[in-house]
Amino acid sequence: MRLNILETTAPKYNKQKIAKNNPKIFRVNFTGLSEAQINKRAQDFMETIGQDFSTDKKTFIIVSHVVPNSIPFIKALNKYGRISGIVAKPNSIIPETYDYIKSLNIPFIKLSKQQLKQNGVIKDKIMPVIKPDESLIIFDVGGYFAYSLDELNGIKTAKGIVEDTENGYQKYEKQLGKTANNIPIYSIARNRVKSYEDYLVGRSIAEATLRTLNKNGINIKNKKIGIIGYGEVGKGAAYYLKHYLGIDVSIFDHAKDVQEQIKKHGYKDKSKEELLADSDVIICATGNKSITKKDLTKIKQGAYIASCTSSDDEFEMDFSKSIETGYKLNMLEGLFFLNNGNAINFITPRKHGRMIEPYIHLTNSGLIKCATYIDSKKDIDCSKINTLNKIQEEDVISGFYKALDFNNKNKNFIENINLIV
């Protein structure tokens, strides 16, 4: 069975019956707007949110995917403060985008997660690019600066951190238990302004997994597919596989209340041991060591394993000696880790970017909203991770829809999932 992954549009959701084996699969062209039109409207909206920044001098350090739909976010921030550096996510850099950002006189800081675990890296790499009269707000993706929280607390100009992802949220949460923290930390990882993008990322993960297998001549017919993790990304992947492609999936999540959701939503709820032993294809959607070294002997030999994030976050194994990325299949311990264990959807970052538009801009709008609160509010509780409340998030979401004013087919996918979840 050859999957024609990129054709047609979403079927209409029927509460009584969702047709199985539906041949219709989501199209990549979702909005009817050009990339330039989307970016312009998104940037204008983010700049409107940015009007709530104070007039104090500020600088931003941004951990970012270097892809086209990151540009409106970067340009909007550049209007309200000096961007003193971008830390590029290494597995999602498009050279043309990198060159364009540099042409805006925005520098890149060469830093890895591993380097940020080392003592003194903030002093050596970050402080030299910060001016004495500037306050620093960090925009993080994946908890890069969580390892440096102790050192950041010793810097008077550090004003706050905004984290994007769930795995980053967990890293900061863990560090807060070890640090006498006085820096406000916000996150939208568990906020509705982020969940829209996460659903679409889940779909992109599932689509990219099947496309990679397809390109390697692997027929998924009669293959068993399992998903580890039933957060928003896992929900998006599961919904796409079952209700758009007619593929039954099994799901494991360690949380008891989530296990009840899995069954309620019509999926097969399995223990981790059952899922690992039975699945021919495993999609890992936790961002938090979903497969450990001990798990390797429990996994069905020859299974294909895909990740939603970086290999060092999702897996306990070391992939550093392997160079097989992209569509090539990398075998480790008798298993095939797609894209060398890194996020499978970033094999083709342009395609992934189109598949999550325009909701990536909603996520980034939420990040800017959080930064304005860090910049303008006092008495923020620094012992916990803060987020937007229901009124604040609704304000961002409703403003986003009004500002972009588009007929978006991605909206169908999100609304259909929300009818279930």
Side-chain angles (χ1 to χ4, degrees), residues 391-410:
I391 295 173
Q392 292 163 348
E393 71 176 7
E394 185 57 42
D395 181 53
V396 175
I397 293 168
S398 60
F400 172 81
Y401 275 112
K402 183 178 180 180
L404 268 74
D405 187 27
F406 59 91
N407 179 22
N408 176 27
K409 295 173 184 175
N410 262 332

Side-chain angles (χ1 to χ4, degrees), residues 26 200 359 401 406 408-416:
F26 229 74
L200 300 173
Y359 289 96
Y401 275 112
F406 59 91
N408 176 27
K409 295 173 184 175
N410 262 332
K411 188 176 180 182
N412 298 337
F413 186 81
I414 290 168
E415 288 179 345
N416 289 348

